[in-house]
Amino acid sequence: MRKWSIIISILILLGVFGYNYLYQDHRDIQTEKSIYKVSSQNLIEEFQINSDDSESKYLDKTITVFGYISHVDVHSLVIDNVVFCQFEERLNPKLKESNNITIKGRFLGYDDLLEEIKLDQCHIIN
């Protein structure tokens, strides 16, 4: 009887730990501190020089990027034609192309084909 209660206790603990591992809370990028603050032009230059090193440097990190808006959509914008920023909420329709902007987001990767940097969970800082 004691053996079965120990086995059941271990299974319950494994179940709880497994559940918590699989269903972790999502990161809140808005409250996280940026690890890097860089202009969009400097960022793309880093990737054009050595994309592998740059990708490992920024991958899954919270970064702040600033530059000029080159395209605005409902849930996304592009900075200087090189940084694609995906937002969870709808963007303010007053945002206009060629306005200066600073955003914070999570770095997803670099698209070699489009030569574009991808960020998600973005928030406008300025």
Side-chain angles (χ1 to χ4, degrees):
M1 183 71 171
R2 181 177 165 107
K3 182 179 176 182
W4 285 108
S5 61
I6 291 173
I7 291 172
I8 291 173
S9 297
I10 290 172
L11 289 175
I12 289 173
L13 283 174
L14 287 174
V16 168
F17 285 122
Y19 178 82
N20 288 333
Y21 178 75
L22 290 175
Y23 297 102
Q24 296 177 16
D25 289 335
H26 294 286
R27 291 170 56 187
D28 187 7
I29 301 299
Q30 188 172 9
T31 60
E32 282 186 23
K33 186 175 181 179
S34 291
I35 296 174
Y36 299 103
K37 183 174 183 176
V38 63
S39 74
S40 61
Q41 294 303 316
N42 289 343
L43 190 59
I44 195 67
E45 286 173 7
E46 280 188 56
F47 280 92
Q48 290 171 341
I49 292 170
N50 190 339
S51 64
D52 292 335
D53 287 346
S54 298
E55 185 134 5
S56 64
K57 176 182 176 181
Y58 293 108
L59 190 61
D60 203 33
K61 303 267 189 325
T62 301
I63 65 172
T64 300
V65 180
F66 54 93
Y68 292 95
I69 299 172
S70 54
H71 178 73
V72 180
D73 205 357
V74 177
H75 288 282
S76 64
L77 61 82
V78 179
I79 299 174
D80 293 326
N81 292 317
V82 294
V83 180
F84 177 80
C85 306
Q86 183 72 40
F87 292 82
E88 293 176 350
E89 70 277 351
R90 294 177 66 91
L91 290 174
N92 186 342
K94 294 180 182 177
L95 284 175
K96 301 291 182 206
E97 293 179 7
S98 75
N99 284 354
N100 194 10
I101 193 164
T102 303
I103 61 101
K104 179 168 62 169
R106 179 177 66 127
F107 178 83
L108 291 178
Y110 175 66
D111 186 342
D112 292 333
L113 183 63
L114 298 175
E115 293 186 347
E116 191 172 66
I117 294 164
K118 308 278 186 182
L119 301 175
D120 76 344
Q121 299 180 35
C122 295
H123 295 278
I124 297 173
I125 295 174
N126 184 359

